[in-house]
Amino acid sequence: MEKKEFKAESKRLLDLMINSIYTNKEIFLRELISNASDAIDKIYYKALTDDSIIFNKNDYFIKITADKDARTLKISDTGIGMTKDELENNLGIIANSGSFAFKNENEIKDGYDIIGQFGVGFYSAFMVANKVTVISKALGNDQAYKWESEGADGYTIEVAKKENVGTDIILSIKEDTEDEEYDDYLDTYTLKSIIKRYSDFIRYPIKMDVKESKLKEGTEAEYEDVVVEKTVNSMVPIWRKNKNELKDEDYENFYTEKHFGFDKPLKHIHLSVDGAVRYNAILYIPSEMPFDFYTKEYEKGLELYSSGVLIMEKCADLLPDYFGFVKGVVDSEDLSLNISREMLQHDRQLKLIAKKIRDKVKDELALLLKNEREKYEKFFDIFGKQLKYGIYQEFGSNRDVLQDLILFHSSKDMKRVTLDEYVERMKDEQKYIYYASGESLDRIDKLPQVDFIKDKGHEILYFNDEIDEFTIKVLHSYKDKEFKSVSSADLDVDNENNDDKEVNIEENTNLLNSMKDLLSGKVKEVKISKRLKNHPVYLSSEGEVSIEMEKILSQMPNGESVKANKVLELNSNHKVFDKLKDAYNNSPEKLDLYTNLLYNQALLIEGLPIEDPVEFTNNIWELL
Ligand code: ADP
Ligand code: MG
């Protein structure tokens, strides 16, 4: 028997194939099963136009048999088989895809069930086998042939015996090495789990012989091991089923089966899209936070299938970071994959799918917010931070997607409100959307400046999440209403009961200027406050960075240099103010002492550290 060499370029390619195209050895099984499925599909397509072929579903299946003693793994199919020429051309020339040619010859456009296209998958068998034997009988032929190869140095073809049409692929599995346990590929349990992972939705049965313990006939408690043939794959993926046929329970079971989480999902979304890119998807919004969600270890992404075959376990490009909590699967027949089918070649289709998924998740969340408020608030408690962060990211380019999905607590009953609800309730004369920041809702509610705005009858958003104020800075306004911190220096609220204030300011310009000089580098301005009722002093801020933001930034690496423009506000109706005036006129040292004390007290009220605690306490003693 003559040994034929692979074509020169094929030799090199085979080497590349075995050593570097695939990252994962176990996918050889996915490739061989996909080929078997393609071979059955081909009979199915032929039967559509050829009346002499009857396609009876029960006759078509794939069988996997492992023989530990012989160290062989056999993948058999009842598909279309290969003639001698086909064995030569499809297996003897690497990168020749008979399946791709078949699709073209038969003008199958919707033939998404046919998986093959590159003509390399078959050779992945050499990653785990030192010899591959193919015995095949083609449809319409009486003679079967055997193709055999031990890798790069060539292959042989000879006549063989085989009763039925179809193909047997027999792998002689390599011996274990230090790095690789090839024995695994002879183990029923491992094989079953590889089939489940990659080939669960191949639409023909994948059968295996499995050992089961059964009650011995004629006995009551004696068991014996019997071998039974079982179908390992689920065949029809849930996402290809009709929505009407599926119950909530089915979606929940699939969620558990896929290990998306231990919780019961809050919501599922089933998409069947027949547009520019065709795909099916099932998406879930979890009801509980994955334990590692807010850690670096958490990997977002959806499972990506191409025609029912798993391509990627976590395709990150399908989800924006802010929807990173979404779990699920996407299956498309329209993806162009790279040669190892582990990656995508073009991301145009993927981008289209990702955009649609983003819009759909947004719509579903909006519906949940509208119709099931309690459920939504529960969701928001867990994942809301992520949505706010999404607005902050990318300079607010996602604001349209997210701004109506975020909630804040408000001074009105301390309940959560949407921005829309807030704006709806605004009074005609109210210019701004007011907010106040602090560590906790209780503390915010007790701030003097909050009281002042509340007294005016305005609602205030309470920001107790670190991200809140940053988010709002990026939004800047909502429905043409600007956001305004109740702590900002230029708070534009009329103060009806203080007509004499203007005069006061004029009169005290010199005092205020001296105090500003004493505090130079610390505050930007010293002024008479329009908002203080009982407190003598208050520290507000001007411009982009608020005092709350300064606090948060100071905890971040390199954040210490970012400072708020502080304004020391004085209550001119307070007795302390008279003391200041007195000191200004009679004793410069006292003015210095008082100014520093007041400034440090204002820092304390705001929760900022005192710059020099020793000096501060000395000042107090001196005063006493
Ligand atoms: P691809 O599947 O991308 O075409 P493969 O290297 O996996 O490439 O397979 C090469 C070709 O060999 C296939 O296109 C097909 O024509 C043929 N082939 C492989 N396995 C089988 C099989 N089990 N039955 C029939 N033909 C097969
Ligand atoms: Mg293939």
Side-chain angles (χ1 to χ4, degrees):
M1 181 189 12
E2 174 202 6
K3 184 168 222 163
K4 297 192 181 177
E5 289 202 4
F6 285 115
K7 293 248 171 69
E9 61 275 22
S10 296
K11 253 185 185 170
R12 248 180 291 125
L13 203 56
L14 184 57
D15 205 47
L16 190 73
M17 189 81 231
I18 298 168
N19 296 308
S20 53
I21 285 190
Y22 298 107
T23 52
N24 201 349
K25 284 193 173 21
E26 68 188 16
I27 60 85
F28 80 92
L29 195 56
R30 174 189 80 180
E31 292 301 324
L32 297 182
I33 289 174
S34 294
N35 285 350
S37 168
D38 283 353
I40 301 175
D41 269 344
K42 286 171 194 167
I43 297 199
Y44 171 79
Y45 282 109
K46 282 239 181 281
L48 292 179
T49 52
D50 184 342
D51 290 342
S52 69
I53 307 167
I54 296 151
F55 192 87
N56 179 355
K57 251 200 136 162
N58 295 332
D59 298 340
Y60 297 98
F61 60 89
I62 298 159
K63 172 109 192 227
I64 313 289
T65 322
D67 183 336
K68 275 192 173 151
D69 298 329
R71 288 194 76 78
T72 57
L73 177 65
K74 185 163 82 177
I75 296 100
S76 307
D77 66 67
T78 55
I80 199 161
M82 282 177 274
T83 62
K84 188 178 180 220
D85 278 354
E86 282 167 341
L87 282 168
E88 181 102 31
N89 292 328
N90 298 337
L91 305 184
I93 306 171
I94 299 176
N96 207 27
S97 172
S99 295
F100 188 72
F102 183 92
K103 267 194 267 192
N104 285 342
E105 281 156 26
N106 292 276
E107 292 181 1
I108 301 170
K109 289 197 188 69
D110 291 340
Y112 60 75
D113 296 302
I114 293 186
I115 301 156
Q117 64 178 122
F118 293 116
V120 294
F122 170 76
Y123 300 93
S124 64
F126 287 104
M127 291 193 296
V128 299
N130 45 33
K131 184 170 82 182
V132 179
T133 309
V134 180
I135 300 168
S136 194
K137 188 174 183 180
L139 183 70
N141 283 48
D142 292 331
Q143 183 62 58
Y145 289 90
K146 178 167 107 178
W147 179 102
E148 200 164 66
S149 169
E150 291 182 13
D153 51 294
Y155 60 91
T156 57
I157 295 182
E158 60 188 294
V159 292
K161 276 211 169 70
K162 186 178 189 311
E163 203 175 323
N164 300 317
V165 170
T167 304
D168 294 341
I169 301 199
I170 302 140
L171 310 182
S172 301
I173 298 294
K174 291 179 183 174
E175 294 289 341
D176 272 3
T177 64
E178 260 174 39
D179 319 318
E180 196 67 42
E181 295 197 13
Y182 294 104
D183 278 4
D184 281 353
Y185 304 122
L186 296 166
D187 176 66
T188 310
Y189 183 80
T190 309
L191 291 167
K192 245 168 77 179
S193 72
I194 299 174
I195 294 167
K196 270 294 208 193
R197 174 154 346 127
Y198 296 99
S199 311
D200 201 27
F201 308 115
I202 290 291
R203 54 184 194 138
Y204 304 104
I206 302 170
K207 296 180 180 179
M208 272 186 96
D209 290 334
V210 282
K211 261 195 209 138
E212 260 184 14
S213 190
K214 270 211 170 142
L215 197 63
K216 223 175 184 170
E217 222 171 298
T219 69
E220 272 170 28
E222 253 184 85
Y223 286 84
E224 60 180 347
D225 277 348
V226 289
V227 174
V228 278
E229 194 179 64
K230 286 231 157 130
T231 297
V232 182
N233 57 329
S234 336
M235 293 192 272
V236 184
I238 174 172
W239 57 82
R240 288 237 187 119
K241 288 184 186 160
N242 198 320
K243 277 173 232 181
N244 308 333
E245 293 167 24
L246 295 162
K247 295 195 279 291
D248 284 351
E249 205 186 303
D250 297 318
Y251 290 105
E252 282 159 20
N253 287 342
F254 183 62
Y255 183 85
T256 314
E257 258 171 47
K258 278 280 168 198
H259 304 292
F260 287 147
F262 298 109
D263 54 335
K264 201 170 132 178
L266 196 67
K267 190 118 203 158
H268 65 256
I269 304 166
H270 190 161
L271 291 171
S272 301
V273 178
D274 212 4
V277 183
R278 289 165 296 178
Y279 63 94
N280 295 287
I282 293 182
L283 310 169
Y284 295 94
I285 297 166
S287 64
E288 271 162 39
M289 177 154 63
F291 70 96
D292 57 350
F293 189 63
Y294 285 107
T295 70
K296 279 203 202 82
E297 278 69 49
Y298 185 80
E299 261 184 86
K300 64 160 184 172
L302 299 175
E303 277 191 11
L304 183 65
Y305 289 80
S306 167
S307 305
V309 181
L310 181 68
I311 303 300
M312 246 186 260
E313 287 198 296
K314 281 202 172 146
C315 180
D317 292 343
L318 283 169
L319 290 175
D321 283 350
Y322 51 85
F323 289 157
F325 50 81
V326 173
K327 304 273 182 194
V329 296
V330 173
D331 183 11
S332 173
E333 62 229 49
D334 290 338
L335 300 171
S336 38
L337 304 173
N338 81 344
I339 200 161
S340 69
R341 304 210 277 125
E342 289 173 350
M343 266 185 308
L344 298 164
Q345 208 158 34
H346 302 294
D347 57 5
R348 193 182 55 84
Q349 305 106 317
L350 202 69
K351 279 200 176 120
L352 280 171
I353 299 175
K355 187 176 173 301
K356 178 83 184 209
I357 284 176
R358 183 200 70 191
D359 291 346
K360 192 71 194 170
V361 171
K362 177 204 158 187
D363 291 348
E364 285 297 324
L365 288 174
L367 273 180
L368 196 67
L369 171 62
K370 191 169 156 233
N371 301 328
E372 293 172 272
R373 181 70 169 230
E374 215 172 294
K375 249 187 174 181
Y376 188 83
E377 293 198 4
K378 186 177 172 240
F379 155 81
F380 197 81
D381 272 335
I382 306 169
F383 300 112
K385 207 189 273 265
Q386 198 71 8
L387 302 188
K388 293 176 192 166
Y389 194 65
I391 293 179
Y392 175 70
Q393 274 176 325
E394 294 169 50
F395 311 104
S397 55
N398 305 310
R399 63 177 297 155
D400 288 343
V401 182
L402 298 171
Q403 65 181 355
D404 285 315
L405 294 178
I406 55 174
L407 300 174
F408 295 107
H409 283 94
S410 100
S411 55
K412 194 171 184 297
D413 309 326
M414 299 272 233
K415 287 211 177 96
R416 288 186 186 278
V417 296
T418 63
L419 294 175
D420 193 49
E421 286 161 354
Y422 181 101
V423 169
E424 277 301 302
R425 287 204 286 258
M426 277 172 77
K427 300 211 187 108
D428 290 341
E429 74 273 13
Q430 188 182 342
K431 237 171 112 181
Y432 299 115
I433 300 174
Y434 292 108
Y435 66 85
S437 305
E439 259 161 59
S440 68
L441 297 174
D442 275 348
R443 282 188 74 161
I444 300 171
D445 200 45
K446 290 195 183 97
L447 292 171
Q449 60 274 33
V450 162
D451 258 352
F452 176 70
I453 299 289
K454 267 207 263 181
D455 278 356
K456 298 261 163 255
H458 300 318
E459 186 174 0
I460 306 162
L461 298 177
Y462 287 178
F463 290 177
N464 62 334
D465 210 337
E466 290 190 352
I467 188 74
D468 289 343
E469 208 168 345
F470 293 88
T471 302
I472 241 65
K473 288 277 163 205
V474 168
L475 279 182
H476 185 255
S477 60
Y478 178 84
K479 293 203 170 159
D480 295 329
K481 303 285 181 193
E482 241 179 81
F483 291 95
K484 181 72 93 185
S485 164
V486 297
S487 308
S488 67
D490 57 341
L491 201 61
D492 186 21
V493 188
D494 309 326
N495 205 331
E496 309 90 32
N497 51 16
N498 283 313
D499 302 329
D500 53 346
K501 273 283 156 66
E502 296 304 318
V503 188
N504 266 342
I505 292 168
E506 281 297 314
E507 243 176 40
N508 298 305
T509 309
N510 291 336
L511 165 65
L512 299 176
N513 281 341
S514 314
M515 289 181 75
K516 185 180 155 187
D517 289 343
L518 288 168
L519 292 172
S520 95
K522 294 173 180 168
V523 301
K524 207 176 155 255
E525 208 192 328
V526 179
K527 71 177 196 183
I528 307 244
S529 180
K530 289 180 176 181
R531 73 183 114 192
L532 286 170
K533 282 197 298 191
N534 306 318
H535 288 64
V537 277
Y538 173 67
L539 209 54
S540 64
S541 64
E542 237 173 38
E544 282 305 298
V545 183
S546 74
I547 290 171
E548 273 310 307
M549 290 167 88
E550 177 183 318
K551 277 193 254 174
I552 293 160
L553 290 169
S554 72
Q555 290 159 15
M556 296 181 183
N558 311 322
E560 295 102 38
S561 55
V562 187
K563 294 270 183 247
N565 284 329
K566 301 185 187 75
V567 176
L568 188 71
E569 298 194 15
L570 299 170
N571 183 351
S572 61
N573 297 325
H574 201 280
K575 271 181 272 171
V576 166
F577 193 74
D578 298 331
K579 285 267 178 201
L580 283 170
K581 278 200 284 195
D582 187 47
Y584 174 73
N585 292 323
N586 305 314
S587 160
E589 303 97 74
K590 270 203 177 145
L591 185 65
D592 190 4
L593 180 68
Y594 293 167
T595 302
N596 271 304
L597 269 174
L598 285 173
Y599 170 68
N600 279 315
Q601 280 174 334
L603 286 177
L604 277 178
I605 293 170
E606 278 304 307
L608 286 170
I610 291 176
E611 281 150 27
D612 187 345
V614 177
E615 191 197 6
F616 179 65
T617 37
N618 283 341
N619 284 346
I620 290 183
W621 289 329
E622 198 182 323
L623 195 72
L624 289 174

